[in-house]
Amino acid sequence: MRCGRSGGGRGLAAGSNRTRRPYGLLAYPVREFPQATFTSFSFEDFIYPATCVAFTLRYPERRGVWAKLGWYVFFPTWMTALEIGIERYTDLVRSIHWSWHWTWLTLLITFHMTRMLYLWFVEKGAGPPAAKGGTSS
């Protein structure tokens, strides 16, 4: 679901995706725009970015360590399970030299990187007013 030649501006997931398709780790037999990209447009440009937003904005900041750890485990787990199902029952993605544990690990890393980037952004004062202690108008 997440590899191939990615265009600019796709964010953190695109960095690792540029390396997997050329090395024959994954294939996308069916793509929305086969002349434009070797990846899944739906996943790269909509599903994964939206999921990263949900992960970051709904993160259980004021909860205990177990809730936070569970959050980090839940998101890559359900997305990996979804990819396994898609690979098994459709022609949308095919693993060549790739396995589910690499998917899970890369998702975990990119979710963490997304969260760290968000926290850095908010600390610099460019985040949403609610994050800086103000109110939105």
Side-chain angles (χ1 to χ4, degrees):
M1 265 164 92
R2 295 177 328 283
C3 88
R5 189 178 71 202
S6 298
R10 287 196 181 166
L12 297 172
S16 64
N17 294 339
R18 289 187 182 114
T19 60
R20 286 183 271 187
R21 171 62 171 68
Y23 293 109
L25 302 176
L26 288 171
Y28 295 94
V30 177
R31 297 183 307 274
E32 293 94 340
F33 303 109
Q35 290 80 19
T37 181
F38 290 108
T39 66
S40 169
F41 176 80
S42 297
F43 184 79
E44 293 287 338
D45 292 310
F46 179 69
I47 296 167
Y48 191 63
T51 304
C52 284
V53 168
F55 174 87
T56 301
L57 294 182
R58 302 293 297 167
Y59 183 77
E61 191 70 51
R62 295 189 175 122
R63 308 258 329 257
V65 69
W66 289 109
K68 293 174 183 176
L69 182 62
W71 198 255
Y72 269 100
V73 170
F74 171 74
F75 273 83
T77 300
W78 78 262
M79 290 188 75
T80 300
L82 180 65
E83 181 178 271
I84 290 169
I86 289 171
E87 180 182 0
R88 189 170 292 158
Y89 300 110
T90 73
D91 289 329
L92 296 177
V93 64
R94 184 180 58 213
S95 293
I96 300 169
H97 300 290
W98 191 259
S99 69
W100 69 266
H101 63 275
W102 289 114
T103 295
W104 193 90
L105 184 61
T106 57
L107 286 169
L108 178 69
I109 290 168
T110 56
F111 277 125
H112 182 68
M113 290 171 62
T114 301
R115 174 147 170 74
M116 293 300 104
L117 183 62
Y118 170 78
L119 291 175
W120 173 80
F121 186 71
V122 169
E123 282 179 9
K124 294 292 182 186
K132 296 187 291 187
T135 57
S136 58
S137 50

